[in-house]
Amino acid sequence: MIQFSHTYKTYSGQVSALKDINLENDKGEFVFLIGPSGAGKTTLFKLISAFDRASSGDIRVAGYDLNKIQSREIPFFRRRIGVVYQDFKLLKSRTVFENVALPLVVRNEKPAAIQARVNEVLDQVSLLGKRTMYPEQLSGGEQQRVAIARAIVPRPGVLIADEPTGNLDPDLSREIMSLLERVNAQGTTVFVATHDHELVKSSKKRVVEIQQGEIQEA
Amino acid sequence: MLGDFLEGYLRSWKNHSVIQGTTLVVLTGTFFVVTLFISIYQNLDQVLTQWGENVEMTAFLSDDIGLETLNEIGQKIRKSEFVRQVKYVSKDQAVETFLSQMGSFAPDLIEDKNFSNPLPASYEIELTENLGKASSFEKLVSLADFVKTLPGVDEVSYGQGWIENYSSLVSQFAKSSWAIVVILIAGSLLIVGNSIRSSIFTRRDEIEVMELVGATQNRIRTPFLLEGAMLGFSSALLAIFMCWIFILWQSKLIVSELAFLGLRGEIQVLSVSMFFLIPLLGAMVGAGGAYVCVRRISTGWAAAERLEQW
Ligand SMILES: Nc1ncnc2c1ncn2[C@@H]1O[C@H](COP(=O)(O)OP(=O)(O)OP(=O)(O)O)[C@@H](O)[C@H]1O
Ligand SMILES: [Mg+2]
C-alpha cells in the first residue's frame, strides 16, 4: 500500500532529511513511526501524501507512482488518503463542521449525506457540541481532533497521522488511538508518527524507527 | 458549488473590500468611456438615417434613349440591393419642379415661352434605411457605380461630397476610439488581474487545504474566474446605467445646441444588442484578467511550490 525504495529527500540542496528509505506497509496494516524530533517523520509523511516531491527514488502509494503522477491525477490520489497534519491545517474562517465537511464537499457529496457523516465523525472525536465554533476558539487538543475528524471523514484507504496525540492528555490519547484502531479494523492502512513511547509499547503494533533520516526497523 | 462560490465571493469582498471596491470603480469608469464611445459612434452613424430623405440617389438619363431602355434601366435599379423604390421623373416634371422651387428667383423664366428645357429626365432612387448610415458609405458608392454603368445613364448624384466628408469623419472617430478602447480593455485586464491576485493571496491557505483534501483544479480555479467575470459584468452594467443617465442629461443640450443637424431629439442611448454585448464584454474581460492569475494556481503541488510562487 505504501512503498518506498531508495528514496532521498534533500531540502534546498543542503539538508538531507531522508536518506535511502526502503519501506513497505501492507494493505490494512497499522504501523507506528517513531524517532526523535528532526529525524524526518514529517518529511516522510509529506512524501507519502504528495504534499512534496522526493529528490530521488521511488514512492508508490495506493497504486499511484508518486514520481510519475500527473497534476491532473493528484486530486484523485489525495481522495484515497487521509492526512492528519502536525500543524492541523484547519481553515480559520470555517467552523468545525465546515472544516470536517470539506473533503466531502470537494467530492460533491449530497448535503444530507455530508451532514450525517460529519456529525457521526464529530461524535467519535467528542466534538459534536463544538461544531459551530471556529478553530481559534478551540484548545490545541480540540483542534487536533478536528484535524483527525477531517482525515477520517471520507473513509480513506490510507490514513497517515503526524503526531495525532501530541496535544492530548493520556485519556484522550487512548480514546483517539482506539478510534484509529477502529478505522484500521474497517480496512484502512494506518501509519502514525508519534513521540509517545507508552502508547507504542501498549499497542503491540509494528514499529518503524527513523533516526537522522534513516530507517532502523525495530 | 454555486453556494460555495457565493460564499467565497463574499469572503473576498470582506477580506479586501478596498481592492474590490477600487477595481469596481476603475472598471466602471473604463466601461463608461467604452460605452460612451460606442454610443456616440452609433448616434453619429445614425444621423444620416435621420436625414433619411437626403440620402437619395438620382440617376440622370440621356435624352436619346427609347422607352425600352428606359424601362430596362428602371428594372435593373429596382432589383438592386438597398433600393426601396424608384420613381421616374420626366424632363417636363423636372422643369416643373425646378420652376416651382426656383421660379421666385427668376420670374422671367416662367414667362419665357421659348425656354428650351435643359434638364434631363431621371430616376429618383429611394434607398433603404440600411444604406443611410455613415458606415455604409462604401455600399452607397458601389451602388452608384453600378447605376452609372447602365447604358443610358449619364450621371449619378447622391450628395457625394458631404456624405463622404461626414462618413470619413465618423470612421476617423471610430478608428481613434478603437485605439483608446483597446488600451482601456488591456488596462482593465491588468486591474482585474490585480484584484484576483489579491483574492488568491488572501485565500491561499484555503486553496492549499482544498488541494490537500482532493479538490480538482477546476473546482479551485472556477470561483476566481467567476469572481473576475462578476466584477467585469457588474462594472459594465453600472457603466451602461451611468451612460444612460449621462446621455439623457446631455441629449437635450445637444439637440438644441446642434439644431442645424435636425436631430429631432432622437438621440439613442445604445442599441439593444449593445445592452447585451457590453456586459458580456465586461464579463469576458473580467474572466480573462482572472485567468492569467488563476493559471498559476492549483498545479497540484501548491503546498510544495507555495514558497517559490509568492
Ligand atoms: N522546508 C524545509 N526546508 C529545509 N529543511 C527542512 C524543511 N522541512 C524540514 N526540514 C529539515 O528536515 C529535517 C526533518 O524534519 P521533519 O520535520 O521531517 O522532522 P520530524 O521528525 O517531523 O520532527 P518533529 O518530531 O519535531 O516533528 C529537519 O532537520 C528539518 O530541519
Ligand atoms: Mg514532524
Side-chain angles (χ1 to χ4, degrees):
Chain A
M1 207 58 178
I2 300 173
Q3 199 181 344
F4 282 81
S5 78
H6 305 295
T7 311
Y8 288 78
K9 176 66 187 178
T10 310
Y11 282 114
S12 50
Q14 312 287 333
V15 189
S16 189
L18 295 178
K19 287 165 242 167
D20 195 21
I21 302 290
N22 293 289
L23 179 69
E24 190 159 348
N25 291 12
D26 291 334
K27 190 171 192 304
E29 208 180 358
F30 194 124
V31 181
F32 281 113
L33 179 66
I34 59 167
S37 179
K41 302 183 294 297
T42 299
T43 305
L44 191 79
F45 279 5
K46 279 183 177 166
L47 298 190
I48 296 174
S49 57
F51 186 98
D52 204 351
R53 276 180 271 223
S55 307
S56 69
D58 284 338
I59 310 168
R60 305 184 130 270
V61 179
Y64 287 85
D65 182 342
L66 298 188
N67 262 357
K68 301 209 183 81
I69 194 165
Q70 311 255 311
S71 283
R72 171 160 43 80
E73 294 174 318
I74 291 178
F76 302 99
F77 163 68
R78 293 207 173 117
R79 291 179 190 188
R80 309 267 317 257
I81 60 171
V83 185
V84 181
Y85 297 93
Q86 193 168 12
D87 57 354
F88 313 147
K89 297 202 180 297
L90 301 177
L91 292 176
K92 289 191 204 105
S93 57
R94 311 262 179 138
T95 63
V96 167
F97 182 92
E98 289 166 339
N99 267 288
V100 175
L102 202 59
L104 303 179
V105 171
V106 304
R107 283 167 174 78
N108 294 320
E109 305 242 346
K110 292 201 179 69
I114 293 176
Q115 187 86 18
R117 176 64 183 155
V118 172
N119 286 338
E120 181 187 356
V121 174
L122 282 178
D123 192 29
Q124 287 173 346
V125 296
S126 314
L127 280 177
L128 201 49
K130 308 218 164 172
R131 54 207 279 270
T132 56
M133 295 177 84
Y134 288 87
E136 281 171 345
Q137 300 170 307
L138 302 179
S139 74
E142 285 166 338
Q143 291 181 30
Q144 189 150 41
R145 282 180 282 150
V146 177
I148 293 167
R150 188 184 61 192
I152 65 177
V153 79
R155 299 188 169 90
V158 178
L159 176 68
I160 57 178
D162 199 351
E163 312 267 4
T165 58
N167 293 294
L168 305 181
D169 57 53
D171 277 350
L172 258 178
S173 291
R174 263 190 296 278
E175 217 173 282
I176 290 301
M177 283 317 295
S178 79
L179 173 62
L180 295 183
E181 276 165 19
R182 261 181 287 145
V183 170
N184 177 242
Q186 284 163 10
T188 298
T189 308
V190 179
F191 202 5
V192 180
T194 183
H195 281 131
D196 194 338
H197 287 269
E198 286 307 307
L199 211 68
V200 175
K201 257 183 253 162
S202 65
S203 73
K204 298 188 177 68
K205 307 277 188 202
R206 177 180 161 201
V207 179
V208 172
E209 195 178 348
I210 185 166
Q211 295 259 4
Q212 294 177 339
E214 286 174 288
I215 298 276
Q216 348 244 253
E217 192 101 23
Chain B
M1 184 77 204
L2 189 70
D4 287 352
F5 160 64
L6 284 177
E7 217 185 297
Y9 188 54
L10 287 180
R11 202 167 288 137
S12 276
W13 266 99
K14 226 165 58 187
N15 290 343
H16 57 284
S17 45
V18 176
I19 290 183
Q20 291 257 335
T22 314
T23 307
L24 196 72
V25 169
V26 175
L27 278 187
T28 303
T30 305
F31 286 126
F32 176 77
V33 175
V34 172
T35 311
L36 198 64
F37 275 149
I38 293 175
S39 174
I40 290 174
Y41 173 76
Q42 288 191 336
N43 277 297
L44 288 178
D45 200 29
Q46 285 294 321
V47 163
L48 291 183
T49 316
Q50 303 208 4
W51 287 333
E53 55 272 32
N54 286 351
V55 186
E56 210 179 59
M57 202 178 273
T58 309
F60 296 103
L61 306 168
S62 309
D63 281 349
D64 53 4
I65 55 169
L67 198 60
E68 209 168 299
T69 325
L70 187 73
N71 284 335
E72 208 174 297
I73 294 171
Q75 287 297 335
K76 279 188 178 153
I77 296 176
R78 205 166 278 127
K79 272 193 223 140
S80 307
E81 224 183 330
F82 308 117
V83 173
R84 194 210 304 275
Q85 212 179 320
V86 177
K87 193 178 133 212
Y88 176 68
V89 180
S90 69
K91 285 175 75 81
D92 292 344
Q93 283 165 328
V95 145
E96 240 169 69
T97 322
F98 175 76
L99 290 181
S100 69
Q101 279 176 0
M102 297 300 183
S104 54
F105 296 104
D108 314 347
L109 222 57
I110 304 174
E111 310 303 321
D112 190 350
K113 297 285 179 233
N114 296 328
F115 173 69
S116 76
N117 185 357
L119 296 176
S122 63
Y123 274 118
E124 278 177 4
I125 306 165
E126 198 181 309
L127 302 169
T128 56
E129 271 160 33
N130 285 340
L131 220 57
K133 285 186 182 171
S135 51
S136 309
F137 182 66
E138 263 152 43
K139 288 178 194 146
L140 193 69
V141 171
S142 74
L143 177 64
D145 287 346
F146 164 73
V147 173
K148 212 178 286 179
T149 61
L150 296 174
V153 175
D154 268 355
E155 187 77 54
V156 176
S157 116
Y158 53 94
Q160 289 91 329
W162 72 266
I163 295 184
E164 186 171 14
N165 287 341
Y166 184 77
S167 67
S168 83
L169 181 90
V170 172
S171 82
Q172 207 58 46
F173 174 80
K175 266 182 221 151
S176 37
S177 306
W178 260 117
I180 295 171
V181 165
V182 166
I183 292 169
L184 287 179
I185 299 248
S188 353
L189 283 171
L190 292 179
I191 288 165
V192 173
N194 182 53
S195 170
I196 297 300
R197 186 171 302 122
S198 114
S199 281
I200 289 173
F201 190 75
T202 53
R203 288 166 67 187
R204 65 196 184 285
D205 289 339
E206 196 177 328
I207 293 172
E208 190 183 310
V209 171
M210 296 268 282
E211 256 191 25
L212 292 177
V213 299
T216 54
Q217 201 172 62
N218 278 343
R219 183 171 195 107
I220 291 171
R221 291 179 175 183
T222 309
F224 294 105
L225 290 180
L226 287 176
E227 186 176 319
M230 196 91 151
L231 268 175
F233 182 77
S234 28
S235 311
L237 274 190
L238 271 174
I240 288 183
F241 180 69
M242 280 169 53
C243 224
W244 188 57
I245 304 267
F246 179 78
I247 289 177
L248 281 188
W249 171 51
Q250 289 288 314
S251 67
K252 280 206 185 87
L253 199 70
I254 294 170
V255 169
S256 62
E257 287 285 306
L258 305 179
F260 64 89
L261 287 178
L263 291 177
R264 298 188 221 137
E266 287 172 32
I267 290 185
Q268 238 194 332
V269 178
L270 263 188
S271 66
V272 179
S273 57
M274 283 298 154
F275 259 111
F276 291 97
L277 284 177
I278 290 174
L280 192 71
L281 174 80
M284 273 163 47
V285 166
Y291 183 72
V292 178
C293 304
V294 159
R295 240 174 11 151
R296 291 169 45 217
I297 60 167
S298 189
T299 51
W301 300 94
E305 282 163 8
R306 187 161 151 184
L307 287 169
E308 300 159 34
Q309 221 175 43
W310 304 105

